[in-house]
Amino acid sequence: MFINHTFMKKIILSLVITLMLGACSNDFIDLTPPSNLNSNTFYKTQQDINQATLSAYASLRTLYNGSFYRLGEIRSDNTTYSWLAGNPANEKGIDEFASPLLPENTFLQDCWDDSYHTILRCNLVLGRSDAATFTSGSEHLRAQYKAEASFVRALTYFWLNRVFGGQAQNGQLLGVIKVDKEISPQESYQLGRAPLEEIYDLIVADLQFAESNLPTSYSGSDKGRATKGAATALLGKVYMTMAGYPLNKGNEYYNLAIEKFKQVIENSSYELVSRYDNLFHVDNKNSVESLFEIQYMKGSPKGDTGSPWNNNFAPRFSNKEVVLVGDKSGQNAPTQDMSNAYETGDPRKYVSMRDGWINAQTGVFERDKYVRKYYDVATSGSDNGNNWIELRLADIYLLYAEALVRTGGDKATALTYVNKIRERARNTPGDPDIERPAGLLADYKLSDFSNDQQLLLAIEQERRVELAFENHRWFDLVRTGRAEEVMVAEQKADGFNPFTWSDDALAYPIPMTVMQSNPQQIIQNNGYTQM
């Protein structure tokens, strides 16, 4: 097989050492890389290492801009595309479980390449910090920067392992390629996929290091950097995932997750914001409920620190009825099933999505659903100011409740935390055109459930409506073993027939460019073509 080696060197794990690194700035969000910096002459000072750390954070923006909501939301029963141009094989492969989902799917390639760009930046911080010169009295920052890089690397590997990890054609559970230090392009040719659990072990070790070395909070322009609480919360989610499919480690890991979730819940630094709508207001970033957010800022000279979702998620054929500035792309549109999932009058629906919009020219209500959760007015194009909330307390409450039920723990305590979420929701203003039903979102009682499975389904439902459009749904369905039942019903309801489920769909294929880079070492997942 002919392989373009120049192209291969460019894409293989994104392991070329030359990077685009962050500008010198006191502002955490100002992470736009202005120039290429030689890695052999950089990383010499405390300031260099700080810039390199900020560059790792900046790299997350690219991942969240496009790949992640397609792989975490559009793949699920939550969202679809309201409009597609040309020959949309890439989109349909993800949304409709089109068979085969081609390994050359550009969204998978972007996810892989951009993830390893991020990991490379983290590895440079981790590998070069010890030799750098830090000023007197700032030695603690050396460990902090390494802990921040460890957190970002763990978050990125967590995404990669959930997206690409699964049953491989050699009969093993494989994760992605393990790159935990700087290596040369020549060394990268020898790397294959690591066992799934080995990658999770790396994630756990990174988060344990981050827990031990991150501060509890920041002030001023540093607000938004990873904290000890963020590391603890993410570690709990990792344990929760390891407990379920495909590792199926069960109660031992559910109990490890419970321990971490309790630490977050008992931390007085975090609390639910009083109203659901305030959580997503563009002027309320990094709130007391938030554990970690991907930082965005509109108004930079080239618009490359802004977020695109308000424009990406708006109906393609709306004008200024939905967004005032910039294009509309019709991506990540809520399904009818998602619309129906909310109880009538649930204020979270009004905050999170709309079932359509009124055409300003005709006065007709256009039934074209769209996500409203990330609304802002752009300065130009898709330059909005929204952060992406990756970890927040409500997510932890609901995972804690689920883990308690799964381990035979205190179900009354589990319901207490579910009811905290429902109480906050019912105290939020909703759609003014809908009369609020009596007893809306009333607290659950144990007598409402005849068995644990019913209670688990209620928690799953609460996670769906509380965390809608935040990239959790697909991975929840996979780890709980519910993907087949839910997605078969959703695909049938949406008319994507004939549709035959295969467990191969639980993992995405390793991208073709990666397979081509090392066809003798890299084993493809079941259901896809081995090079």
Side-chain angles (χ1 to χ4, degrees):
M1 175 183 297
F2 173 77
I3 299 176
N4 184 321
H5 288 276
T6 300
F7 178 69
M8 178 170 63
K9 288 182 179 180
K10 180 179 178 182
I11 60 89
I12 183 171
L13 310 183
S14 304
L15 292 175
V16 178
I17 302 302
T18 301
L19 290 174
M20 301 287 284
L21 292 174
C24 177
S25 171
N26 291 324
D27 193 342
F28 174 60
I29 191 62
D30 186 10
L31 307 179
T32 308
S35 61
N36 284 320
L37 296 174
N38 188 313
S39 66
N40 293 319
T41 59
F42 200 63
Y43 311 104
K44 300 297 185 183
T45 68
Q46 174 182 325
Q47 184 183 47
D48 292 346
I49 299 301
N50 183 43
Q51 290 181 46
T53 304
L54 298 185
S55 179
Y57 284 112
S59 190
L60 292 174
R61 284 202 300 261
T62 302
L63 284 164
Y64 284 82
N65 281 357
S67 297
F68 283 179
Y69 66 78
R70 289 181 169 91
L71 304 179
E73 286 289 323
I74 293 177
R75 181 68 157 180
S76 78
D77 55 338
N78 277 5
T79 64
T80 183
Y81 293 91
S82 66
W83 181 82
L84 289 172
N87 181 22
N90 290 334
E91 289 88 346
K92 284 181 175 292
I94 292 171
D95 187 23
E96 301 175 16
F97 291 75
S99 183
L101 174 56
L102 299 176
E104 60 262 37
N105 187 295
T106 57
F107 300 120
L108 300 180
Q109 292 176 15
D110 289 345
C111 178
W112 183 282
D113 292 344
D114 293 337
S115 293
Y116 277 100
H117 272 297
T118 304
I119 289 166
L120 172 58
R121 294 183 182 201
C122 296
N123 287 345
L124 286 167
V125 174
L126 292 166
R128 305 294 181 94
S129 293
D130 287 346
T133 300
F134 278 64
T135 60
S136 177
S138 298
E139 190 60 33
H140 66 285
L141 292 176
R142 190 190 310 272
Q144 178 192 309
Y145 296 153
K146 291 172 68 175
E148 291 180 79
S150 296
F151 175 86
V152 174
R153 185 171 72 176
L155 175 62
T156 307
Y157 265 123
F158 187 42
W159 267 94
L160 281 173
N161 235 22
R162 290 181 299 168
V163 169
F164 297 108
Q167 295 282 348
Q169 293 183 11
N170 63 356
Q172 297 179 11
L173 273 179
L174 295 183
V176 289
I177 297 173
K178 182 179 178 180
V179 186
D180 59 353
K181 61 183 178 180
E182 292 181 65
I183 62 174
S184 68
Q186 291 73 29
E187 290 174 301
S188 69
Y189 282 90
Q190 307 305 313
L191 297 176
R193 297 172 66 188
L196 185 71
E197 189 167 353
E198 184 176 336
I199 300 296
Y200 274 117
D201 288 343
L202 172 63
I203 295 168
V204 168
D206 273 350
L207 291 174
Q208 289 173 337
F209 178 80
E211 266 193 305
S212 298
N213 293 281
L214 286 174
T216 57
S217 64
Y218 299 90
S219 60
S221 61
D222 282 333
K223 192 172 184 180
R225 300 175 84 130
T227 63
K228 176 182 176 67
T232 302
L234 184 56
L235 183 54
K237 291 197 71 167
V238 169
Y239 286 143
M240 195 78 175
T241 300
M242 295 176 75
Y245 182 90
L247 286 179
N248 296 316
K249 286 186 165 292
N251 278 5
E252 177 186 357
Y253 276 73
Y254 284 127
N255 282 317
L256 289 172
I258 287 170
E259 179 184 345
K260 292 302 170 184
F261 295 150
K262 285 179 65 177
Q263 291 173 20
V264 175
I265 290 168
E266 292 169 359
N267 187 331
S268 61
S269 298
Y270 305 110
E271 60 185 55
L272 298 182
V273 299
S274 59
R275 289 175 24 172
Y276 188 74
D277 54 342
N278 289 343
L279 182 60
F280 303 99
H281 196 283
V282 72
D283 293 328
N284 195 28
K285 299 180 182 183
N286 304 305
S287 72
V288 292
E289 181 170 337
S290 178
L291 290 149
F292 185 69
E293 300 184 9
I294 314 305
Q295 306 292 311
Y296 289 82
M297 179 181 69
K298 68 181 179 182
S300 63
K302 296 181 181 179
D304 49 9
T305 62
S307 63
W309 313 300
N310 187 43
N311 297 92
N312 286 355
F313 300 168
R316 178 69 176 85
F317 300 106
S318 61
N319 189 12
K320 293 188 176 182
E321 301 93 341
V322 176
V323 296
L324 295 177
V325 178
D327 294 334
K328 300 91 181 171
S329 301
Q331 301 173 15
N332 208 29
T335 61
Q336 184 61 49
D337 189 67
M338 181 73 244
S339 178
N340 295 342
Y342 293 94
E343 297 178 41
T344 300
D346 186 339
R348 290 175 294 191
K349 180 176 182 180
Y350 187 69
V351 173
S352 300
M353 63 165 287
R354 302 294 166 83
D355 284 314
W357 48 280
I358 297 176
N359 190 307
Q361 293 185 335
T362 65
V364 173
F365 182 76
E366 306 285 353
R367 296 193 176 277
D368 199 358
K369 298 176 182 62
Y370 63 96
V371 172
R372 183 73 171 177
K373 187 172 272 187
Y374 303 100
Y375 180 77
D376 189 26
V377 179
T379 55
S380 63
S382 295
D383 183 26
N384 298 282
N386 321 80
N387 281 357
W388 189 280
I389 304 176
E390 173 63 22
L391 289 166
R392 61 184 178 94
L393 190 58
D395 179 15
I396 302 306
Y397 277 4
L398 293 170
L399 287 173
Y400 178 55
E402 179 188 334
L404 286 174
V405 176
R406 291 191 183 279
T407 56
D410 187 345
K411 297 180 183 61
T413 297
L415 277 186
T416 295
Y417 285 95
V418 176
N419 288 334
K420 286 176 183 289
I421 303 299
R422 292 171 68 81
E423 179 184 16
R424 192 259 298 273
R426 66 175 177 258
N427 289 334
T428 298
D431 187 342
D433 295 328
I434 296 179
E435 183 177 352
R436 183 175 294 229
L440 175 65
L441 297 170
D443 283 357
Y444 285 129
K445 305 182 295 294
L446 283 176
S447 58
D448 294 332
F449 309 99
S450 60
N451 54 54
D452 286 355
Q453 184 59 28
Q454 287 187 1
L455 178 51
L456 288 171
L457 289 175
I459 295 171
E460 177 188 293
Q461 166 67 10
E462 204 66 33
R463 284 185 62 77
R464 187 182 188 190
V465 295
E466 171 71 21
L467 303 171
F469 321 124
E470 297 179 44
N471 292 348
H472 301 284
R473 177 64 171 173
W474 171 246
F475 302 114
D476 278 349
L477 293 176
V478 172
R479 68 174 176 79
T480 60
R482 291 263 296 144
E484 177 179 0
E485 180 179 349
V486 169
M487 295 312 303
V488 167
E490 191 264 345
Q491 296 287 305
K492 183 177 181 180
D494 285 349
F496 299 145
N497 290 318
F499 176 68
T500 302
W501 175 263
S502 169
D503 283 349
D504 297 340
L506 296 171
Y508 289 94
I510 304 299
M512 180 172 289
T513 51
V514 180
M515 299 297 301
Q516 289 175 330
S517 72
N518 197 348
Q520 301 304 314
Q521 292 281 346
I522 299 175
I523 308 299
Q524 183 58 276
N525 286 325
N526 283 344
Y528 308 105
T529 302
Q530 178 72 40
M531 298 300 298

